[in-house]
Amino acid sequence: MSVFEKRPGMALAAGALSLSLVAGTGLFALHLAGAPLVGTEPEPAEQATAVEKTPEPVAAKIRDVPAEESLAGALEKAPKGWKTGGSIQRSATQPLPFSCPANGTAPAVALSRLFSVDRQRIQVVTTAYSAGLGAEVMDALIDDADSCAGGSVAVRSRAFDGKKPGAEAHRVLTYEGFNSAQVVAFRRGDVLVFISGAEDAPLSEMAREFDRHLADRLEGVCADQKSTARAAQRSPWSAEGYKPYTVEQKVSVRDLPLPRLPEDAEAEAVGLPGPKIKIQRARPAAEPVYPVWPPMPDRTEVPKAPASPDEAPVTQANVAVLAEDKTGPGCGWAFTGMSPVVFDAQAAEQTNAKRRQTAKDKLADGTVRWQQDVLDYWEAYDRYVDEAAEYKDYAADVARVNKAWDAIGEDWADFWVAYDAYEAKLAERSQFFVNQDNARIRYENALDQCAADNREAAADAREQAEDRKKKADEDEKDKDKEDSKQEETEEPAPEQVDCDSAVAEPAILSQAPPPEPSEPAQPEDPRPADRR
């Protein structure tokens, strides 16, 4: 372990010292705080003995760092069709809801400028953070957006209209009373850009246009425009803690041959993996409700082939070894004028030697373990061969039983067909008797009705004759008693219906019923007498 891993405080102190050394007198630290800077041009070496001159104030050299030049250039020469409004403002503040410092980190460069694009007034704020912190800061700004805006401002995240700009991008709307605004924030490396405007302004398209404009200026000066928050830990100022820069280094150990089986071993050496054994899964039939024979073998699971070790042991591995981080994470150390983290090559090599040896020891143990794994595999494969043979015998037994059961099933299928026909004939015979009884009842009812009709007709005739006689007697009282009474003529009796002729006897009453069917016999029980 290096001295910086054991004592991260030393790494922080060394990093802070490196920052102060950029300007020689701490100018870089003053610039981070936003203080105006002036400096004195250094005297040329050949004029060391010349008369001392009165110093003239000039812009501090910190203004010449790539971050300052790139962002100022992007704002100075705007994209085509963008009209500038005023000069570039330095020490700019990021717009709400991203105006709160993230993790107590301030940008090394913060510039802003007003623009008019298609009659839309917008503000562009460009910031550059120290090496690797851009992604980490962006994550913190997004997480803290609601709390940063305060209780009186509502923050709503919105999707982009089309492709997102930069390596990552976010679009939010803010509402306070009747006022609203829109902010698009995107990132390239350690450069964060914030474009704010009206809620209905097409900021998504403007952000993509400015992103293309900015990307050209960052080319060659920003080491990694697609950096992630994970890379920030290469910086001593990472909120997640400092992790020294490492690179992958390959280590290897001596290869080992295949092991030898003991002379009394029953297993045989096979390839890795061993020959594939084709096993067809047995599918035993479900036991039916009718008796069957022979019995189905006990269910057996399909054996599984053992997992094979690799054909050869692993003899190489990559080891993360400490290395000098000359470039730096994100856009790199040089982008904001930082000096690389101090690298103790001697201490690092001691740590790296231990790491390499640990990796080699692990590889060597692995090769020995591989040989034992091969021996274990050969024994397991030998058992697998026996299990596969046993399973094939089981599958053959299942196939034979299935075939015997199928034959028995066909006999029972024929029986059920015959039994269905038998039940159909029984039903037909039973229905015949029902129909015959119903016909007899209807016939007898018809005869009874016919006889009743005859009786009713005779009764009606007698009643009518009595009524006529009574009326005739009353009419005769007013006539001459001497007149001879007219001979009474009797009305003929009504004709009676011959019911036996009028009511036809149903034919079914004289028909013979269908013959009674014979019940089919069930298939014989195939089981032995002592197993029934």
Side-chain angles (χ1 to χ4, degrees):
M1 179 178 292
S2 70
V3 65
F4 295 120
E5 290 179 294
K6 295 179 179 178
R7 300 180 181 178
M10 294 182 62
L12 292 173
L17 179 61
S18 299
L19 287 176
S20 65
L21 292 176
V22 172
T25 58
L27 290 178
F28 185 79
L30 289 175
H31 176 64
L32 290 179
L37 302 178
V38 295
T40 304
E41 292 184 349
E43 293 290 340
E46 61 272 18
Q47 297 180 0
T49 58
V51 178
E52 183 177 350
K53 298 180 180 180
T54 303
E56 298 179 0
V58 296
K61 290 298 182 180
I62 192 65
R63 297 293 188 191
D64 296 333
V65 298
E68 173 82 17
E69 295 178 0
S70 301
L71 302 190
L75 295 176
E76 186 67 38
K77 188 177 180 181
K80 186 177 180 181
W82 290 34
K83 297 181 180 179
T84 58
S87 60
I88 298 175
Q89 301 297 314
R90 287 178 165 77
S91 301
T93 301
Q94 296 165 178
L96 199 72
F98 306 121
S99 54
C100 300
N103 302 326
T105 302
V109 178
L111 310 176
S112 71
R113 195 169 197 179
L114 298 176
F115 293 94
S116 178
V117 184
D118 295 333
R119 298 183 181 180
Q120 292 281 354
R121 187 174 178 82
I122 64 172
Q123 181 191 36
V124 178
V125 178
T126 60
T127 60
Y129 286 83
S130 59
L133 300 190
E136 204 172 68
V137 168
M138 178 66 89
D139 289 347
L141 292 176
I142 297 302
D143 292 342
D144 299 340
D146 287 330
S147 60
C148 181
S152 62
V153 180
V155 181
R156 299 289 181 267
S157 178
R158 290 292 183 267
F160 271 83
D161 299 329
K163 184 180 178 181
K164 290 184 177 182
E168 65 170 307
H170 306 273
R171 177 174 173 246
V172 298
L173 302 179
T174 58
Y175 300 94
E176 184 176 18
F178 294 101
N179 299 320
S180 62
Q182 178 185 182
V183 180
V184 169
F186 68 89
R187 178 183 66 84
R188 279 191 171 274
D190 296 318
V191 174
L192 276 61
V193 179
F194 305 88
I195 302 179
S196 55
E199 180 182 356
D200 58 351
L203 295 192
S204 295
E205 177 58 34
M206 296 179 188
R208 286 191 290 271
E209 190 173 356
F210 191 83
D211 177 52
R212 292 190 293 268
H213 175 69
L214 176 65
D216 293 338
R217 293 191 170 273
L218 294 180
E219 189 68 30
V221 295
C222 177
D224 184 5
Q225 295 188 34
K226 297 181 179 180
S227 61
T228 63
R230 185 177 180 180
Q233 292 184 288
R234 290 161 56 186
S235 169
W237 290 271
S238 170
E240 297 298 322
Y242 174 62
K243 288 185 178 180
Y245 176 62
T246 60
V247 295
E248 296 291 328
Q249 190 176 85
K250 186 173 292 186
V251 295
S252 61
V253 294
R254 182 176 61 87
D255 194 3
L256 291 180
L258 287 170
R260 291 179 178 274
L261 284 167
E263 294 182 359
D264 58 346
E266 297 181 358
E268 295 182 0
V270 294
L272 300 176
K276 186 175 181 180
I277 301 176
K278 187 176 181 180
I279 301 177
Q280 188 172 2
R281 180 183 294 273
R283 301 188 181 279
E287 187 168 354
V289 295
Y290 48 82
V292 289
W293 191 262
M296 187 66 69
D298 293 336
R299 184 177 294 274
T300 302
E301 296 298 328
V302 179
K304 294 183 179 180
S308 171
D310 295 332
E311 294 184 5
V314 178
T315 58
Q316 293 184 343
N318 290 325
V319 181
V321 296
L322 300 174
E324 185 176 4
D325 196 356
K326 297 179 180 179
T327 301
C331 285
W333 312 117
F335 187 66
T336 53
M338 299 174 65
S339 295
V341 173
V342 176
F343 181 69
D344 187 339
Q346 185 176 359
E349 180 53 32
Q350 293 177 355
T351 300
N352 292 340
K354 293 180 180 179
R355 292 185 178 182
R356 286 191 292 267
Q357 188 58 49
T358 300
K360 288 182 177 181
D361 293 344
K362 187 176 180 180
L363 287 173
D365 292 342
T367 57
V368 175
R369 193 163 50 249
W370 172 81
Q371 286 193 320
Q372 185 59 50
D373 290 343
V374 171
L375 292 173
D376 295 342
Y377 172 74
W378 285 342
E379 291 182 1
Y381 184 82
D382 186 67
R383 292 192 298 271
Y384 169 65
V385 171
D386 294 340
E387 291 171 357
E390 292 174 0
Y391 186 84
K392 288 182 177 181
D393 292 341
Y394 159 76
D397 292 341
V398 168
R400 285 191 294 271
V401 173
N402 283 345
K403 185 176 180 180
W405 286 14
D406 288 343
I408 297 172
E410 291 176 1
D411 293 341
W412 275 92
D414 294 341
F415 165 76
W416 290 123
V417 171
Y419 194 81
D420 288 343
Y422 163 73
E423 288 189 325
K425 290 180 180 179
L426 282 179
E428 182 184 357
R429 178 179 170 84
S430 176
Q431 188 62 44
F432 172 83
F433 289 119
V434 171
N435 295 340
Q436 193 178 58
D437 290 343
N438 291 338
R440 181 180 294 105
I441 292 172
R442 289 193 298 271
Y443 175 61
E444 291 175 351
N445 288 342
L447 290 176
D448 293 343
Q449 185 64 45
C450 180
D453 292 343
N454 285 338
R455 290 191 297 273
E456 185 178 357
D460 290 344
R462 285 192 300 271
E463 184 178 353
Q464 291 174 4
E466 290 175 359
D467 289 342
R468 286 193 299 271
K469 182 178 179 182
K470 184 178 180 181
K471 184 177 182 183
D473 290 343
E474 291 176 354
D475 291 341
E476 287 298 329
K477 290 179 182 180
D478 297 334
K479 291 186 179 181
D480 188 2
K481 293 181 180 180
E482 294 180 357
D483 290 342
S484 59
K485 293 183 180 180
Q486 298 179 354
E487 253 182 59
E488 295 180 3
T489 59
E490 294 183 2
E491 293 290 333
E495 184 178 358
Q496 295 289 303
V497 177
D498 184 2
C499 291
D500 291 336
S501 300
V503 179
E505 180 181 7
I508 193 172
L509 297 181
S510 60
Q511 292 177 356
E516 184 175 0
S518 299
E519 182 177 356
Q522 292 186 0
E524 293 184 2
D525 191 335
R527 297 173 296 180
D530 59 344
R531 299 294 297 272
R532 295 179 183 178

